[in-house]
Amino acid sequence: MLIIEKDVPGAGASGTPVGLVNPAAGRKANLSWEAERCYAAVEQNLQKVQDGGGKPFFFRSGLLRPALDDASLTNFRKAYERGDWPAGWCRWMDPGEVSRANPFLIETGGGLCITVGLTVCVPAFLRAWSAYLAERGIPCLTRQDYTLIREGNHWKIRTGKQGSVQAGSVIFAGGHTVIRSPYWRDIPIHPVKGQISEYTAETDLSGWKMPIAASGYFARAGSNRFVAGGTYEHEFTDERSDARGQGTLEKKVGAVMPSLLSQSALTGQWAGVRASTPNRLPILGPHASEPNLHLFSGLGSKGLLYAAFTAGLLADFLSGSGRLPEEVNIDRLKKL
């Protein structure tokens, strides 16, 4: 097995500075597709790589969904009471407990605590993951231009620096950029730009106990640093961070934690482009006419949550030991 990367791991949307594993995103805090199996897969994978040594890069932080207005209070109370949560996954916090969990928040009506939420330093995870794979004989060739040439039922991959390699099967896993390939240009992947702002506060943030998912998401990234995200830009001409995105995120921080914004300074920006799909679920499976060519894309804004589980689905499919669920199977596109 060989990984060929046109840049470096995490150069695109997967390299967000801080990522959250939230199995109940959205306005109504509904459980995500295959939430239990996705969560189990990502937690196991993160722990496996972290056990390999080095500085910890993920934390079982939990996740707070504060009720900032009447609509979110109604939605989150309904979510808490609907009864479909796996055991131990959530609990209700009264306004006082929410305030103690984050003293910078505006007044709330309480909040939903997703107790299984995870916080991940994504760049550190990707570095550790690459090293973990390399130690097990799966190298990653970085900064590689390549040409894909079909030879019968096999493929020749001609790289700019390493010469040529032959592969029995090739998987495209390039996020939104896969539609630039002539093999996948008809796949309905919609690029959505997302930006994150990084702030340094004048005060100690140790009283901030867990990340927040409200009008955006907000996570502590150190004793006096935090990040705010994200934007969902469907129309854009530049993939880099910009003033417009920063302004949007500043308004989000000001609406949720105005006292913290007033004593914080912007110290960094980041931008990436997600790969969204019509049903907001990944697209997995073989090319309609090219043998041994497969797609793994469309993870949208839930890459951390979906990646490990869906990668396992595709691996089982390729080995002949499993089938791809209809919701993520590339064959579903024939019905569009």
Side-chain angles (χ1 to χ4, degrees), residues 40-99:
V42 66
E43 183 186 38
Q44 181 183 42
N45 194 53
L46 288 167
Q47 189 64 60
K48 173 181 67 178
V49 177
Q50 186 159 284
D51 286 345
K55 186 177 179 181
F57 53 74
F58 90 99
F59 307 92
R60 293 178 173 84
S61 57
L63 179 77
L64 173 60
R65 304 220 56 189
L68 303 177
D69 51 36
D70 291 342
S72 59
L73 177 59
T74 299
N75 286 336
F76 295 163
R77 284 297 309 187
K78 286 182 178 178
Y80 174 67
E81 295 166 358
R82 69 184 172 229
D84 63 346
W85 295 92
W89 270 36
C90 79
R91 63 185 181 87
W92 187 255
M93 300 173 67
D94 63 32
E97 190 177 4
V98 170
S99 181

Side-chain angles (χ1 to χ4, degrees), residues 8 14 19 21-22 58 61 69 121 127 146 148 152 156 165 179 181 240 243 253 264 294-296 308-309 321-323:
V8 295
S14 59
V21 175
N22 176 12
F58 90 99
S61 57
D69 51 36
C121 177
R127 289 192 296 270
Y146 68 89
L148 192 61
K156 178 185 285 186
V165 295
I179 57 177
S181 164
R240 294 172 296 183
V253 180
S264 300
H294 300 84
L295 184 65
F296 180 86
F309 177 63
S321 61
R323 301 178 64 182

Side-chain angles (χ1 to χ4, degrees), residues 81-132:
E81 295 166 358
R82 69 184 172 229
D84 63 346
W85 295 92
W89 270 36
C90 79
R91 63 185 181 87
W92 187 255
M93 300 173 67
D94 63 32
E97 190 177 4
V98 170
S99 181
R100 290 189 293 275
N102 190 313
F104 307 104
L105 275 172
I106 62 172
E107 184 177 350
T108 74
L112 186 64
C113 177
I114 312 298
T115 56
V116 294
L118 306 175
T119 300
V120 184
C121 177
V122 181
F125 164 56
L126 293 176
R127 289 192 296 270
W129 184 224
S130 297
Y132 178 94

Side-chain angles (χ1 to χ4, degrees), residues 16 18-40 42-43 46 58-66 76 79 82 85-86 89-91 112-120 122 210-219 229-230 232 280-281 299-307:
T16 178
V18 176
L20 303 181
V21 175
N22 176 12
R27 292 186 300 108
K28 297 184 178 180
N30 292 324
L31 286 170
S32 299
W33 173 79
E34 292 287 5
E36 286 188 80
R37 294 204 283 178
C38 286
Y39 181 83
V42 66
E43 183 186 38
L46 288 167
F58 90 99
F59 307 92
R60 293 178 173 84
S61 57
L63 179 77
L64 173 60
R65 304 220 56 189
F76 295 163
R82 69 184 172 229
W85 295 92
W89 270 36
C90 79
R91 63 185 181 87
L112 186 64
C113 177
I114 312 298
T115 56
V116 294
L118 306 175
T119 300
V120 184
V122 181
M210 66 182 77
I212 299 165
S215 61
Y217 73 89
F218 313 93
Y232 288 82
R280 298 185 182 181
L281 288 176
L299 278 68
S301 60
K302 295 184 177 69
L304 273 175
L305 180 64
Y306 287 155

Side-chain angles (χ1 to χ4, degrees), residues 186-273:
D186 295 326
I187 297 296
I189 284 179
H190 175 60
V192 180
K193 181 179 175 180
Q195 299 192 53
I196 291 174
S197 290
E198 302 176 64
Y199 290 89
T200 298
E202 297 172 358
T203 187
D204 178 51
L205 301 180
S206 59
W208 181 344
K209 302 302 182 184
M210 66 182 77
I212 299 165
S215 61
Y217 73 89
F218 313 93
R220 188 158 64 92
S223 60
N224 68 334
R225 297 184 298 111
F226 69 96
V227 299
T231 64
Y232 288 82
E233 303 168 44
H234 295 266
E235 302 292 337
F236 58 92
T237 57
D238 193 329
E239 296 186 7
R240 294 172 296 183
S241 57
D242 54 38
R244 179 181 177 185
Q246 191 277 321
T248 298
L249 294 169
E250 184 172 298
K251 289 179 181 178
K252 289 178 181 286
V253 180
V256 176
M257 296 182 289
S259 64
L260 181 57
L261 179 62
S262 67
Q263 51 184 316
S264 300
L266 179 72
T267 51
Q269 291 179 260
W270 177 91
V273 181

